[in-house]
């Protein structure tokens, strides 16, 4: 029996004519990838603003640098113009200081000359009245004349660790920041102890002391008759060298100096000298004076 040929089922035809061209369709629908899209957006931005943003930033930076350079250049030019004026004013100030210093030196020399003249006239007047020896003694005791002779040399200095606050505890009623620093009241006790031990004349760092001398403090400095002194403090005392040294070391003020050395590290040393020279006091002011009668009464 003859068989009928098999019937083939035909596939469904595509709904679109270009369905069989999917690759081409995809390319046509998505012709730009991300890179092309970014480039197109950037090109569009350039077209809207006239220049890219990065270029504008660089242009602004360049303008700022040019402005800064202009300001620096103008400042340098002004400084160059003002430099001669400043130098001239500085030189005028230096010249004025030199003139005033020279004038002060001349006045100081004149004062010293007048002081020497007054002292010479005083000695001459006392010599004519038969009191030459008494005048010399009064001049020595008052500090009006230069003296020399045997005595002791006492050197007092701050502690070595004074910068770190000293090695002992705080010292009461102290205006100084360091416990190992020599204070004005320490020097007062040292000087008074030497006077009490028999010193005939005393000087501190070349400054002759008189009955009117004052040892005070100004900040961290010690003043003797309003003249600042710096450590180490060298105290010279004319008198019986060995006896003066012994009496001072055994006195309460000598023991006080030993306590400062042991407790606070303040350095001190005393030695006997065969010949010390002490200058006259820079100025001796007579507070009151009354003439004496022949019987010695005023």
């Amino acid at each position: 029996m003859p068989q009928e040929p098999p019937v083939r089922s035909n596939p469904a035809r595509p709904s679109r004519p270009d369905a069989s061209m999917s690759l081409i369709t995809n390319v046509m629908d998505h012709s730009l990838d991300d890179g092309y899209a970014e480039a197109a957006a950037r090109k569009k931005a350039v077209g809207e603003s006239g220049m890219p943003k990065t270029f504008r930033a660089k242009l602004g930076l360049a303008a700022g640098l040019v402005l800064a350079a202009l300001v620096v250049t103008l400042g340098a030019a002004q400084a160059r113009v003002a430099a001669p004026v400043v130098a001239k004013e500085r030189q005028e100030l230096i010249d004025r200081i030199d003139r005033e210093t020279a004038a002060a030196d001349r006045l100081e020399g004149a004062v010293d000359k007048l002081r020497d003249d007054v002292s010479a006239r005083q000695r001459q007047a006392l010599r004519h009245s038969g009191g030459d020896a008494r005048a010399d003694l009064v001049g020595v005791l008052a500090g009006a004349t230069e003296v020399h002779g045997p005595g002791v040399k006492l050197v007092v200095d701050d502690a070595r660790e004074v910068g770190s606050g000293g090695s002992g505890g705080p010292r009461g009623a102290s205006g100084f920041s360091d416990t190992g620093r020599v204070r004005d009241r320490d020097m007062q006790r040292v000087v008074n102890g030497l006077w009490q031990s028999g010193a005939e004349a005393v000087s501190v760092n070349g400054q002759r002391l008189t009955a009117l001398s004052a040892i005070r403090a100004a900040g961290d400095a010690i003043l003797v008759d309003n003249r600042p002194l710096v450590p180490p403090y060298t105290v010279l005392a004319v008198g019986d060298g060995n006896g003066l040294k012994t009496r001072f070391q055994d006195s309460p003020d000598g023991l006080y100096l030993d306590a400062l050395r042991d407790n606070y590290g303040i350095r001190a040393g005393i030695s006997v000298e065969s010949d010390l020279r002490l200058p006259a006091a820079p100025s001796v002011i007579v507070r009151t004076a009354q003439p004496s009668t022949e019987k010695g009464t005023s």
Side-chain angles (χ1 to χ4, degrees):
M1 177 173 182
Q3 295 181 356
E4 295 182 0
V7 179
R8 296 183 179 178
S9 60
N10 294 329
R13 297 180 63 86
S15 61
R16 290 183 52 187
D18 57 353
S20 60
M21 298 181 292
S22 59
L23 178 59
I24 298 176
T25 302
N26 185 39
V27 171
M28 293 299 294
D29 292 340
H30 305 284
S31 58
L32 297 178
D33 58 7
D34 295 339
Y36 288 115
E38 182 180 356
R42 185 165 55 251
K43 184 176 180 180
K44 183 178 180 181
V46 171
E48 292 177 353
S49 61
M51 62 180 67
K53 296 182 180 179
T54 55
F55 180 75
R56 283 185 296 170
K58 292 180 180 179
L59 183 60
L61 179 60
L65 293 176
V66 171
L67 181 60
L70 181 61
V71 171
V72 172
T73 303
L74 291 177
Q78 292 179 355
R80 191 179 303 108
V81 172
V85 178
V86 175
K88 182 179 179 181
E89 293 178 351
R90 181 177 181 273
Q91 187 61 42
E92 290 178 353
L93 181 59
I94 293 175
D95 295 340
R96 182 179 178 183
I97 293 175
D98 292 339
R99 289 194 302 269
E100 296 298 332
T101 302
D105 292 340
R106 289 193 298 270
L107 291 176
E108 187 175 355
V111 169
D112 292 338
K113 184 177 180 180
L114 291 174
R115 184 183 296 114
D116 295 339
D117 183 56
V118 170
S119 299
R121 291 177 183 271
Q122 288 176 345
R123 285 192 293 270
Q124 184 178 4
L126 290 173
R127 187 178 300 111
H128 291 164
S129 62
D132 189 20
R134 181 181 178 185
D136 292 340
L137 178 60
V138 171
V140 170
L141 297 179
T145 59
E146 180 182 356
V147 298
H148 72 92
V152 296
K153 177 181 179 181
L154 176 62
V155 180
V156 184
D157 198 359
D158 296 336
R160 297 184 185 276
E161 62 275 12
V162 66
S164 60
S167 59
R171 301 169 66 182
S174 171
F176 292 75
S177 58
D178 296 321
T179 60
R181 179 168 293 172
V182 179
R183 302 180 303 182
D184 56 335
R185 71 178 187 182
D186 301 333
M187 295 305 302
Q188 291 173 3
R189 295 202 59 167
V190 167
V191 171
N192 290 333
L194 290 172
W195 285 121
Q196 188 176 5
S197 299
E200 300 174 5
V202 179
S203 68
V204 181
N205 283 17
Q207 183 73 19
R208 180 76 174 274
L209 301 182
T210 67
L212 301 177
S213 296
I215 300 177
R216 298 188 179 93
D220 287 347
I222 294 179
L223 304 182
V224 174
D225 291 338
N226 294 325
R227 294 193 177 187
L229 305 181
V230 295
Y233 305 102
T234 302
V235 183
L236 302 180
V238 174
D240 179 15
N242 293 319
L244 181 59
K245 176 182 177 181
T246 302
R247 287 190 295 270
F248 174 75
Q249 289 178 328
D250 295 338
S251 68
D253 298 310
L255 297 177
Y256 172 81
L257 187 59
D258 291 338
L260 292 181
R261 181 169 47 203
D262 296 338
N263 297 329
Y264 302 103
I266 290 178
R267 293 167 288 175
I270 187 171
S271 61
V272 178
E273 304 291 334
S274 59
D275 187 23
L276 296 174
R277 293 187 175 272
L278 277 63
S283 62
V284 178
I285 301 175
V286 179
R287 300 294 183 184
T288 58
Q290 295 178 351
S292 59
T293 62
E294 294 181 356
K295 295 182 180 180
T297 60
S298 58

